[in-house]
Amino acid sequence: MVKKNTCVFISGHGSNLKSLINYSRIQNFPINISLVVCNKIDANGILYAKKNSIPYLIVNTKKRNFENIIINEMKKYKISLICLAGYMKIISKKFISSYGKKIINIHPSLLPKFKGLNTFERVLKNNEIKTGCTVHYVNEKLDSGKKIIQKSFFINKNDNIKILKQKTQKLEYRAFSEAIIKIYRYN
Ligand code: GRF
């Protein structure tokens, strides 16, 4: 099996990146992490790229052509999948069409509920019974592309934002890897 070259976009802690790197080491897992793109110079996640000798690109999103810089870098690595893993910047319509291949995102809610930021606060405020995470394709609308996989759990009475985040992230690592397997098994 030839693994697909994948680029992971991050902005922060990078725990999903770390998990994807670990999965990518499994022989039959469909992807390699060939490049990491980050829009924050001090993001912790860059350490996982460095530690694992994965090339990384830090972009300055204040530059008008920063998305072209990313596209050009991805060409060098023949990237055929982009995984958005906590990338806190909206991908432009132009970027999506000029890249033209698969882009997926992980979101910490049961989409279509709670698109956007501050999900855990809103989930609690709304007295939801369940929550979870969703892996979906990226289109030009925020958190709105076709769903690939969703995983959920029941919320306990004592769950607070911190606990919900921990429980959700644990599920995210599995959801991301299963979504990737699903994409390449059926496509
Ligand atoms: C994840 O919870 C993901 O759902 C959201 O951003 C968070 C990133 O976490 N989009 P990490 O940087 O992978 O630890």
Side-chain angles (χ1 to χ4, degrees), residues 167-183:
K167 289 183 178 175
T168 305
Q169 285 212 314
K170 237 175 144 181
L171 274 189
E172 284 185 347
Y173 309 145
R174 279 177 38 216
F176 228 159
S177 66
E178 286 177 27
I180 291 166
I181 290 169
K182 191 173 168 191
I183 289 171

Side-chain angles (χ1 to χ4, degrees), residues 12-17 85-86 88 105-108 169 172-173:
H13 188 64
S15 64
N16 277 284
L17 167 64
M88 303 301 283
N105 179 45
I106 184 134
H107 184 77
Q169 285 212 314
E172 284 185 347
Y173 309 145

Side-chain angles (χ1 to χ4, degrees), residues 115-155:
K115 296 174 182 175
L117 297 174
N118 305 319
T119 6
F120 306 117
E121 285 92 323
R122 290 187 286 139
V123 163
L124 289 175
K125 226 179 174 172
N126 221 42
N127 290 318
E128 293 292 315
I129 296 168
K130 280 165 113 186
T131 190
C133 63
T134 308
V135 182
H136 63 94
Y137 286 106
V138 171
N139 63 14
E140 59 287 350
K141 285 195 201 136
L142 181 70
D143 300 329
S144 298
K146 191 176 167 222
K147 187 170 78 187
I148 303 164
I149 242 177
Q150 202 157 56
K151 286 193 181 291
S152 65
F153 63 91
F154 285 101
I155 299 172

